[in-house]
Amino acid sequence: MQHSEIVSFLWGIADLIRDTFKRGKYQDVILPLIVLRRLDCVLAPTKSAVLARCAELKTRGLQDPDAQLRRVSGFAFYNTSPFDFERLLADPQNLAANLRHYIAGFSPNMREVLERFDFDNTISKLDEANLLFQVLERFKQVDLHPDKIDNPTMGTIFEELIRKFNEALNENPGEHFTPRDVVHLMVELMLAGDEQRIRRQGIVCTVYDPCCGSGGMLTIAKEHITKGWRRNGEVIRGPINPLAEIHLFGQEVNPETWAVSKSDLFMKDPTGRDADHIAYGSTLSNDKHAGRAFDYLIANPPYGKDWKRDEEAVRTEHERGAAGRFGPGLPRISDGQLLFLLHMLAHAKSPKEGGSRIAIIMNGSPLFTGDAGSGESEIRRHILEHDLLEALIALPEQLFYNTGIATYVWVLTNRKAPERRGKVQLIDASSFWAPMRKSLGDKRREIPPEKALDIVRLLANFRDGETRRIVKDGREEEVVVSRIFPTTHFGYRKITVERPLKLNFQASPERIARLEEEKGFQALTQSKKKGAAGAKEEEEGRKLQEAIRALLAGLPQTLFKDRAEFERVLDAAAARAGLKLPAPARRAILAALAERDETAAICRDTDNRPEPDPELRDTETVPLPVGDDPVDDDGVPASVRAFFEREVSPFVPDAWIDTTKRDHKDGRVGIIGYEINFNRYFYRYTPPRPLEEIEADIRAIEADIVRMLAEVTGGHASA
């Protein structure tokens, strides 16, 4: 049976349980029974030997027979129950009890896996509905032994089933599994350029996935190294080193997919080493591989998923700075993708230890979300200023099962080749796809091996301006698909540009009336005291309000264009009236009687410096220069000063740079930010259609409308 036939067969079991289980609960039945049936098939050849050895060791009184039974089973797990699927179905009356006994007979390491399915409740529900026998009988009909269905095919089956489950649950687009074509490409990009390193005799490599799902990325990475890349029996690329020793590590927060991954790895490796390295729990708040560093790291974190459940632990670790994983910055709470990237960087080997390579796929948000100084920008800054980003690859849309959004593979390393240092390669692979014969959810496209290998070639060539011929809108054209920029190209300084505050003042009835809306004036009749003391303070405030109204009514209605002059008039009038104005009330008076006036004198502070007008405040982004950028005595970098004199001063001569807004790292004027507006670098201008063509289309549409109206009105319509 092909994997699609097996998926259809297994999904057909839903017909049996649809009246007992909601559609979103089908996985509670199907996933654990797939695992159980596969384990049953795997252990069948040594089942009798394990039972005999177990009985013998009990007779000898051996307290811990685990190692002995593993040796007999040929795997790192075993089952000491007399039952298997055949014997379970032979006793339908006691099926539920016997099935529980069968599950309890697994070795402790496999019982831990099976317990994550919470299958005991499902057994009760199936038994109560008289469905347990029918469902088990269906599963017995399919042979899930790895010799019949190899591990890559089984992984595809798992992920296709889980895709169906997610569709049934209407899951968030971020909750998806990575299609195999995307995984193969990511693995090739991660390993690119490391072939000679991997071919070394006696090489031992570690591969890590912090959100490993059902383990597809890990197992494919291992196979690409030791067995090569195969598709439907065809060898796409041979093994890099069949003798390389590859150790897999991962962590997964979803209990069902963790169980699938761990059980599958137990069946793949008789030593159980890789399975033992698949940890359960939230990677962000409970790093189960803390202190370890890995050679290769690969991940597809959930897109647009919040990290509220991990917030306390993440923020605590962020406050530790460089001693924690999240020191460079924290993204907004609604999207944790960049946290996984920081986590992976924290688990990279240092260059002295040989360094690491990382491949992570994310949506477009981490490229540009967040202004200068924000958590996202600071994370990008950390990556680019430490020269960790080797390449960004834009993938086609409609590649994933549950979402059609655009995605990008980030390739990072802390041991760049000399020619790549200080540079980032952008590859536009958005047109490197082929249509699928049959859509799977939102997945309507795939990246065939030949196009994936071409993407890897573009990475290896490392040429700016390299082109490919693509077909767009039915026309073939040659387009640039590779660009190379210095890391500073994506950085900028955000400066604040101020302009002086210019106000006129007038004690006109209209402006005096505005005083009633000023909070500083209203606050005069409010008191925080209680009882008689509070009432007395409020009464005094009302008297002061009346005195202020009378004071302003007695002022000349002259239009003052100099604040200092108006303040002298106001203060003199208050002194004559024996009135002392509290600071909040004075500010309220000035605010009510003022209006902006470009012809007025500049308002100045007590040090005679121009006051900025908040309404005229603006910001400018100044590209970071390549090379040195000296600063003047005010801390303004030369690049910023030159930009200001070229782009701002000629148009607003009275403007100035706010030198108090400084970067928290280098202390210079202007806050540094980083963003990668990917599409800007591959934009292709499409000229508008000729006016004649548009007019011809309009005339044709008008003629059609006239014809249709004529049919309705019996031939009386006219153009």
Side-chain angles (χ1 to χ4, degrees), residues 626-646:
V626 178
D628 294 334
D629 194 15
V631 297
D632 60 21
D633 293 340
D634 293 327
V636 180
S639 61
V640 171
R641 184 67 72 188
F643 176 92
F644 183 80
E645 291 175 356
R646 182 180 68 250

Side-chain angles (χ1 to χ4, degrees), residues 82-363:
F83 296 104
D84 55 18
F85 269 58
E86 188 80 37
R87 293 185 179 89
L88 286 169
L89 292 168
D91 185 7
Q93 297 302 317
N94 300 300
L95 182 53
N98 292 343
L99 180 55
R100 289 188 173 97
H101 186 277
Y102 171 63
I103 293 171
F106 278 99
S107 51
N109 56 358
M110 189 56 74
R111 273 205 312 276
E112 179 195 13
V113 171
L114 297 172
E115 283 168 3
R116 294 294 178 189
F117 288 115
D118 194 22
F119 192 47
D120 194 72
N121 290 330
T122 303
I123 293 173
S124 298
K125 200 167 184 179
L126 286 169
D127 192 39
E128 289 167 8
N130 294 317
L131 291 172
L132 188 58
F133 182 86
Q134 296 179 63
V135 171
L136 251 67
E137 189 177 41
R138 284 285 187 94
F139 271 95
K140 181 183 171 295
Q141 294 173 20
V142 59
D143 187 350
L144 298 181
H145 193 285
D147 290 344
K148 301 290 184 182
I149 303 171
D150 61 20
N151 290 307
T153 304
M154 197 68 233
T156 303
I157 291 170
F158 273 132
E159 295 192 5
E160 204 162 318
L161 284 169
I162 292 171
R163 173 186 64 81
K164 287 176 174 285
F165 298 146
N166 284 352
E167 286 177 356
L169 290 167
N170 193 26
E171 289 282 2
N172 183 300
E175 298 290 332
H176 59 262
F177 288 82
T178 319
R180 291 303 193 208
D181 54 323
V182 177
V183 178
H184 285 300
L185 171 62
M186 288 182 66
V187 169
E188 288 294 297
L189 292 169
M190 178 180 68
L191 300 176
D194 265 20
E195 292 80 5
Q196 291 302 320
R197 174 186 291 264
I198 296 171
R199 288 191 185 105
R200 290 182 302 189
Q201 188 174 1
I203 187 73
V204 177
C205 295
T206 53
V207 184
Y208 172 60
D209 184 345
C211 37
C212 63
S214 61
M217 285 189 166
L218 290 172
T219 55
I220 288 177
K222 186 173 185 175
E223 287 164 3
H224 272 234
I225 294 172
T226 60
K227 297 180 181 178
W229 178 5
R230 289 172 169 76
R231 183 182 184 184
N232 300 326
E234 177 191 1
V235 177
I236 308 299
R237 179 187 55 71
I240 299 174
N241 184 355
L243 301 178
E245 189 175 338
I246 310 299
H247 295 199
L248 305 181
F249 295 81
Q251 187 164 340
E252 172 59 30
V253 69
N254 181 283
E256 289 87 3
T257 47
W258 173 83
V260 167
S261 173
K262 199 169 179 81
S263 63
D264 198 41
L265 287 173
F266 267 129
M267 286 181 271
K268 284 181 178 177
D269 180 7
T271 70
R273 179 193 62 209
D274 290 339
D276 288 337
H277 292 156
I278 304 300
Y280 172 69
S282 172
T283 299
L284 298 181
S285 60
N286 188 11
D287 182 7
K288 296 291 183 71
H289 295 293
R292 283 186 180 271
F294 307 99
D295 298 295
Y296 299 99
L297 303 95
I298 188 168
N300 176 16
Y303 304 157
K305 186 176 181 181
D306 68 64
W307 45 280
K308 291 177 182 176
R309 60 179 289 182
D310 302 308
E311 183 175 4
E312 183 179 355
V314 168
R315 292 194 183 280
T316 299
E317 193 160 354
H318 168 65
E319 290 167 5
R320 294 170 55 199
R325 293 171 292 166
F326 310 120
L330 297 180
R332 61 199 62 197
I333 194 73
S334 59
D335 190 353
Q337 293 177 86
L338 283 170
L339 289 178
F340 282 96
L341 177 51
L342 286 178
H343 168 83
M344 295 168 81
L345 289 171
H347 279 281
K349 287 186 174 180
S350 71
K352 292 181 180 178
E353 297 175 306
S356 300
R357 286 183 65 80
I358 297 171
I360 181 172
I361 185 169
M362 299 185 283
N363 65 15

